Amino acid sequence: HADGEGPTAGDARKGGTDVEGASSPKEEEKVDHLSANVAVLLQRVVKLFIGCLAAVTCGMIYAVYLSTYHERKFWFSSRQEMEREITFQGGSGLYYYYYKHMLFASSFEKGVYELTRDNRTVSGQTINAVEQLSLYPELLCSLLYKLSGSQDSIEPVYFYIGVVFGLQAVYVTALFVCSWVMSGTWVAGLLAVAWYIINRPDTTTVVYAIPLRDNWALPYFSCQVAALTSFLSNNISAATEMFCYLLMSVTTFTFIVMWEHGHYVLFVQGVVLLLLDCFDLIPARKTADIHKVYLSSLLLAYVLQYQRSALLSSPLLSLLVASLLARYLQQNMKMGPLVARLMKLVLHLYLVFTTGITFNYLVKVRPRHDFILKFLEVKFGLNSTTEFIPNLLLCEEGFQSPGQDLFLRLTQASVLPFYVLVMLVCLFSTMQAIYRRLSGERLMGGVQMEQGRIGERPEVIYHVFHTLLFGALAMLMKYLWTPYVCAFTAFGVCSPELWVTVFRWVRLKSVHPVVLGGGCVTCSISLQFFPRVLSELTEVQEFYDPDTVELMNWIKSHAPLAAVFAASPALLGTVKVCTGWPVTSLPLYTDLSLLQRSESTYQVYAMRSAEEVYKLLTAQQSSFVIVEEELCNQMSSVRGCRIKDLLDYANGHVVYDKGETYTFAKYGRFCHEIKMNYSPYTNYFTRVFWNRSYHVYRVNSVISFQY
């Protein structure tokens, strides 16, 4: 039996060894769980990499598209320097003039000093051009041009427009990120960018007026909104939240500095966050952090911008102070039953706005911007006036309310129908969330997609109110609204949570939203995107203005160095950038004194006597006045906005009463009469240049009476 026992014992020993070396079920579960985590992490990293690559690629492609379209439209590379500068339309070339000034300055410090004491721009005045025209983009761009050593490799004008086009790439990338963060899929970012480019005439003016302040500033605002969107999200790590907070701080400050109207835009955003805080839709801690960003950015901008009083009297600062005071007085606002909380909420909003208005009134030392208030009253139909300046502002294209063609274009691009659908779903879900908050239900830290509560997500609620409030302001500036309509709509179409919410309401099985989003992307690209973009890039266009070129060449070759030119503000901006000669006014519509000087110059198109116009021009030290045929012979205009009609109405020379027109003018229209070359016009003015578009008259320093 020993032979039989041996193998048995050996088998037992071998079996014992196998049992000891085998893994337990718990260890196998741990290994499987670890492998699953690694797979999920790897999948997230791959998705993040692909999404970031797609976002950056979209931005780069858009910048290349803008550059190509700009070249095809203006034939920019084949133009001379003066002809290139004329392409900066609407007087926007004035900013490029200061960029050139900084490049020719002996040093950066010397150039800044000269701009802060500029007496070669507006006749008879020494202005701080950096503060008055917000020239910080030009200062930064000129500094980058010199520090980068680009003088030998790229022309100044190409560097300038290249920086602006690069910022537009950042703009669309930030919109991509907004849709991606809210929807969870980068397909939404692609759709947002496609819709943005398809609706480019309603989303940006960068191709036509590159140097305008909003083209420099709005990309930073888009980055700020993207950072704020991520910051408000509940499912965010501490490190990501800190990064978003820092990015939000930097972009908020930069936005205020780059655009003098930036604090007004942030005020609207502050009102949105106030509503979210009142309804307890975001944590109080995050609200306090955002208020710190606003306050620090305003104070830093105030110091950097030569103690600009507009920042102290800005509605954003008043809102911050009022919110802090109201919160101190109502520490228990978010407690109690539904009716009590509603009453507290109404009282809180009343305290915020009355305190804010009071603070703003006390801070305003000078009624410098009262004309803006009058303009807004006339704009919204609260008042009417015959004054020239408010009516002139109403006629500016940037301030005119968008017509039905805007909504028609958005509908044709399939944006508006989807926007209405997404907005209704999100708004209804948000109302449900507000009711739950007011009823005492606590804010949920994380909402599962299967619950179908898209209105519980703070970043989504923010964009709901964001697009609604900015939509109400679209009549003032549509370019603040339409880009976020594209981003918000793209998020909704591609969001799993939104469609789960809808399907839970109607008790239907869900369709994967990526399929829907992919279908929308395919339709948009195939039906709208590629055909429109290709037609713009292949269409042969030409922008050429020989009359303006001839006028600028005459000024540079014949006008004395001490000459001062009077004309419309838009033309004066071109005169300044092309020749550098002093002018009587600037195309700046936020400075009352410059607007009043423009009104005096515009009198050459009114029914005024030669002596009256002569006195107005000599009061501004004008040496030459340029009469523009386009303004003098303008036959029709949108909404009665002909310059000569506005002047006749303001001067009392024409009165409209019950549909009838009455004229009370003693003299003929100056711009017509002066061309007749008879006394008394020849006593005060001498024609020295003319072509099909312009007539230049010297304002005589010595009056010779001829009869």
Side-chain angles (χ1 to χ4, degrees):
H1 297 290
D3 294 337
E5 291 176 358
T8 304
D11 292 342
R13 284 193 298 270
K14 289 180 182 179
T17 303
D18 292 339
V19 171
E20 291 177 0
S23 300
S24 64
K26 292 184 178 180
E27 292 178 348
E28 292 180 356
E29 289 179 3
K30 289 182 180 179
V31 173
D32 293 340
H33 183 67
L34 181 61
S35 301
N37 288 340
V38 172
V40 170
L41 179 62
L42 182 61
Q43 185 180 13
R44 289 180 178 177
V45 171
V46 171
K47 287 183 177 180
L48 180 63
F49 174 77
I50 295 176
C52 293
L53 182 63
V56 174
T57 303
C58 285
M60 295 176 63
I61 292 176
Y62 181 60
V64 173
Y65 159 72
L66 286 178
S67 178
T68 306
Y69 178 75
H70 182 262
E71 171 65 26
R72 294 289 294 174
K73 180 174 180 60
F74 298 109
W75 295 88
F76 209 69
S77 59
S78 61
R79 300 295 187 195
Q80 299 296 322
E81 181 179 4
M82 181 182 298
E83 296 173 352
R84 292 174 178 175
E85 293 169 350
I86 291 175
T87 62
F88 296 141
Q89 301 175 35
S92 61
L94 176 69
Y95 299 104
Y96 181 72
Y97 162 79
Y98 289 105
Y99 167 71
K100 291 197 305 181
H101 176 85
M102 289 298 301
L103 295 182
F104 293 131
S106 57
S107 66
F108 182 78
E109 294 79 7
K110 180 67 174 178
V112 174
Y113 177 82
E114 292 173 351
L115 292 186
T116 55
R117 294 162 178 80
D118 182 15
N119 58 3
R120 285 284 302 167
T121 296
V122 181
S123 60
Q125 290 187 3
T126 298
I127 64 173
N128 184 342
V130 178
E131 175 191 3
Q132 200 159 348
L133 282 83
S134 297
L135 297 179
Y136 298 96
E138 283 66 35
L139 299 183
L140 180 61
C141 192
S142 62
L143 183 62
L144 289 176
Y145 184 73
K146 291 183 177 180
L147 294 179
S148 62
S150 303
Q151 295 90 330
D152 299 329
S153 58
I154 185 172
E155 297 180 50
V157 65
Y158 280 106
F159 186 86
Y160 186 82
I161 65 176
V163 172
V164 179
F165 289 163
L167 286 175
Q168 304 310 304
V170 175
Y171 197 164
V172 298
T173 301
L175 293 176
F176 184 108
V177 171
C178 281
S179 294
W180 182 15
V181 168
M182 289 190 292
S183 65
T185 173
W186 51 266
V187 177
L190 291 177
L191 183 57
V193 174
W195 272 336
Y196 178 89
I197 299 177
I198 290 172
N199 296 280
R200 183 180 51 79
D202 299 312
T203 55
T204 180
T205 59
V206 67
V207 175
Y208 304 97
I210 293 175
L212 288 183
R213 303 299 85 182
D214 48 310
N215 292 328
W216 284 91
L218 289 180
Y220 294 101
F221 179 65
S222 183
C223 291
Q224 192 257 11
V225 172
L228 179 61
T229 301
S230 299
F231 181 77
L232 293 176
S233 177
N234 291 325
N235 302 321
I236 184 174
S237 64
T240 306
E241 182 178 312
M242 178 57 65
F243 172 76
C244 293
Y245 181 78
L246 294 177
L247 179 61
M248 185 169 53
S249 302
V250 173
T251 51
T252 300
F253 167 73
T254 309
F255 179 57
I256 294 176
V257 171
M258 289 290 180
W259 195 22
E260 59 184 338
H261 301 311
H263 58 91
Y264 292 109
V265 177
L266 292 175
F267 165 73
V268 180
Q269 187 184 76
V271 173
V272 174
L273 295 171
L274 171 66
L275 296 176
L276 266 65
D277 179 63
C278 290
F279 294 126
D280 200 18
L281 297 172
I282 56 175
R285 173 186 61 85
K286 292 189 176 183
T287 303
D289 290 341
I290 297 171
H291 285 177
K292 292 176 185 177
V293 170
Y294 286 155
L295 186 59
S296 59
S297 299
L298 281 174
L299 294 180
L300 286 175
Y302 175 76
V303 173
L304 182 63
Q305 294 185 309
Y306 305 94
Q307 292 78 47
R308 190 156 62 98
S309 59
L311 293 178
L312 291 182
S313 59
S314 68
L316 177 60
L317 181 60
S318 302
L319 179 66
L320 295 176
V321 173
S323 298
L324 181 62
L325 181 60
R327 177 66 63 84
Y328 176 78
L329 296 176
Q330 286 186 297
Q331 298 182 4
N332 298 324
M333 183 188 68
K334 300 179 182 179
M335 299 176 62
L338 177 62
V339 177
R341 290 192 63 175
L342 283 174
M343 295 179 65
K344 291 179 181 178
L345 179 60
V346 173
L347 178 60
H348 181 77
L349 294 176
Y350 175 78
L351 283 174
V352 168
F353 286 105
T354 54
T355 306
I357 293 173
T358 304
F359 177 81
N360 188 269
Y361 177 79
L362 294 176
V363 169
K364 278 187 177 179
V365 180
R366 295 176 297 173
R368 183 178 176 182
H369 302 283
D370 284 350
F371 79 97
I372 296 180
L373 180 61
K374 181 176 294 186
F375 159 73
L376 292 176
E377 290 178 352
V378 177
K379 175 68 178 178
F380 293 107
L382 302 177
N383 198 356
S384 61
T385 181
T386 61
E387 296 182 17
F388 177 79
I389 292 177
N391 290 325
L392 176 67
L393 293 178
L394 287 174
C395 290
E396 287 297 315
E397 183 179 358
F399 294 124
Q400 288 185 358
S401 302
Q404 295 181 355
D405 54 340
L406 168 64
F407 303 103
L408 179 61
R409 290 192 297 269
L410 293 179
T411 302
Q412 291 174 343
S414 71
V415 177
L416 192 60
F418 281 113
Y419 170 72
V420 173
L421 173 62
V422 173
M423 174 57 67
L424 290 176
V425 173
C426 292
L427 188 60
F428 185 72
S429 183
T430 300
M431 293 299 105
Q432 291 179 329
I434 291 175
Y435 177 78
R436 286 191 287 266
R437 294 291 85 75
L438 295 178
S439 299
E441 184 177 331
R442 298 185 61 184
L443 181 66
M444 301 177 66
V447 181
Q448 300 298 323
M449 183 179 67
E450 293 76 11
Q451 295 177 284
R453 290 188 176 186
I454 196 169
E456 294 279 356
R457 295 174 54 190
E459 70 274 20
V460 173
I461 305 171
Y462 164 76
H463 278 273
V464 169
F465 288 113
H466 177 104
T467 55
L468 285 177
L469 287 187
F470 278 91
L473 295 177
M475 62 173 52
L476 290 177
M477 193 172 185
K478 64 181 178 181
Y479 305 110
L480 286 172
W481 178 61
T482 47
Y484 296 98
V485 168
C486 297
F488 181 74
T489 308
F491 136 74
V493 170
C494 301
S495 172
E497 197 168 351
L498 183 136
W499 292 107
V500 168
T501 302
V502 174
F503 293 139
R504 282 180 62 89
W505 289 347
V506 298
R507 302 180 184 276
L508 292 177
K509 293 183 179 180
S510 62
V511 178
H512 201 283
V514 175
V515 177
L516 295 172
C520 289
V521 171
T522 304
C523 291
S524 295
I525 291 178
S526 60
L527 299 179
Q528 293 278 343
F529 186 78
F530 280 130
R532 183 172 300 184
V533 171
L534 291 177
S535 66
E536 289 178 345
L537 296 182
T538 55
E539 182 182 358
V540 177
Q541 303 184 59
E542 184 173 5
F543 176 86
Y544 186 53
D545 190 353
D547 292 341
T548 304
V549 172
E550 185 182 9
L551 171 64
M552 298 305 145
N553 285 327
W554 181 88
I555 293 175
K556 295 180 69 174
S557 58
H558 292 84
L561 293 178
V564 176
F565 284 86
S568 67
L571 181 59
L572 290 180
T574 304
V575 170
K576 189 62 183 177
V577 67
C578 293
T579 68
W581 260 253
V583 295
T584 58
S585 186
L586 297 175
L588 189 65
Y589 300 103
T590 57
D591 189 286
L592 182 58
S593 62
L594 291 178
L595 286 171
Q596 291 172 339
R597 291 171 71 93
S598 298
E599 181 179 5
S600 297
T601 304
Y602 271 131
Q603 297 301 321
V604 298
Y605 305 104
M607 292 183 283
R608 304 289 290 267
S609 68
E611 183 179 2
E612 290 175 324
V613 174
Y614 178 81
K615 289 180 179 179
L616 291 173
L617 294 176
T618 53
Q620 299 178 3
Q621 303 179 6
S622 304
S623 306
F624 297 89
V625 58
I626 305 174
V627 178
E628 302 168 54
E629 287 290 328
E630 182 181 3
L631 296 180
C632 186
N633 298 320
Q634 193 173 10
M635 299 302 296
S636 62
S637 179
V638 179
R639 303 173 188 177
C641 285
R642 296 190 303 179
I643 291 296
K644 51 188 179 181
D645 292 339
L646 297 178
L647 290 167
D648 294 343
Y649 192 36
N651 295 335
H653 296 156
V654 172
V655 177
Y656 301 99
D657 184 24
K658 298 179 181 180
E660 298 292 335
T661 302
Y662 303 95
T663 304
F664 302 94
K666 295 172 58 179
Y667 305 97
R669 197 165 302 281
F670 179 88
C671 63
H672 289 154
E673 299 295 326
I674 194 174
K675 297 174 188 176
M676 303 300 179
N677 287 328
Y678 59 77
S679 180
Y681 297 92
T682 54
N683 300 339
Y684 299 100
F685 304 96
T686 302
R687 188 169 66 176
V688 293
F689 170 84
W690 69 94
N691 59 24
R692 292 175 302 175
S693 301
Y694 305 104
H695 292 253
V696 181
Y697 294 88
R698 183 178 64 244
V699 181
N700 297 332
S701 56
V702 178
I703 304 175
S704 59
F705 289 96
Q706 302 175 6
Y707 299 95

